[in-house]
Amino acid sequence: MSAPLVIAGHGTRVDPGAEECFRFVERVRGLLPGVDVSVGFVELTPPTIDAALADALARADEPHAVVAPLMLGTGGHVQSDIPAAIEAGRRTRPGATVAYARHLGADPRLRRALLLRAREALGDWAASEATVVVLGRGTSLPDTNADHARLTRLVVEEGGFERAIAGFIQVTRPSLPDALSEAYGAGTRRIVVLPNYLFPGMLQQWTAQEVSAWLGEHPD
């Protein structure tokens, strides 16, 4: 029997986001027959990661498990919160070992998905005449924000856009309105906002609100 897999998600106050995450876990479960696949969350959505891991270890024949963060960047959750939860869950079974997988990052398959979404939003606009604002979560960790800037550079080169600007919805700058104003100030009037989020949630709602407010001040 393979070691159980615990997927470590963020959690959300938005029910559709949680439901979509659970559907994703069901798909993973279907792709891994014979593997005990479960999910835990850092916050907001039950169960917690340590509880999910403790349950998985209790069901396992051998005291081994894998935890995979369902996270795009290496923010505080990946670097601190999930490891702490892993240690708490591991201690519930003496002698247990837990392998911690890396975050998703700028995987080429995820970049292809981002570019597909961007091209859908472009409609009949030419990519070479449009600016893309690649929107990240934003953290207090400079290395993590630098990873988002690197992703933005890959998007502009792989997508053939006129330019791409990195923006952040929280914590650090440039903010989404600032990134939009930077694109506007450079002369572009064809802007695609490309959120780099995994599931629906408050970040998506805030993005829509900020875009709407900015557009109200820039009718052209």
Side-chain angles (χ1 to χ4, degrees), residues 66-127:
V66 176
V67 174
L70 190 56
M71 306 274 177
L72 292 168
T74 57
H77 292 325
V78 169
Q79 296 190 26
S80 301
D81 298 332
I82 297 175
I86 289 173
E87 181 58 21
R90 186 192 65 78
R91 288 198 301 265
T92 64
R93 181 161 179 180
T97 59
V98 180
Y100 185 29
R102 74 181 302 275
H103 66 290
L104 297 173
D107 184 281
R109 290 161 293 188
L110 289 174
R111 297 205 308 272
R112 286 197 293 271
L114 273 178
L115 291 173
L116 175 64
R117 295 290 184 264
R119 289 171 182 136
E120 288 173 347
L122 280 171
D124 59 0
W125 293 353

Side-chain angles (χ1 to χ4, degrees), residues 169-187:
I169 194 65
Q170 283 190 324
V171 182
T172 192
R173 300 180 73 86
S175 66
L176 174 54
D178 286 347
L180 290 168
S181 294
E182 180 180 340
Y184 187 87

Side-chain angles (χ1 to χ4, degrees), residues 185-201:
T188 187
R189 295 298 180 266
R190 295 182 173 185
I191 305 171
V192 173
V193 176
L194 186 61
N196 190 33
Y197 310 149
L198 285 175
F199 300 111

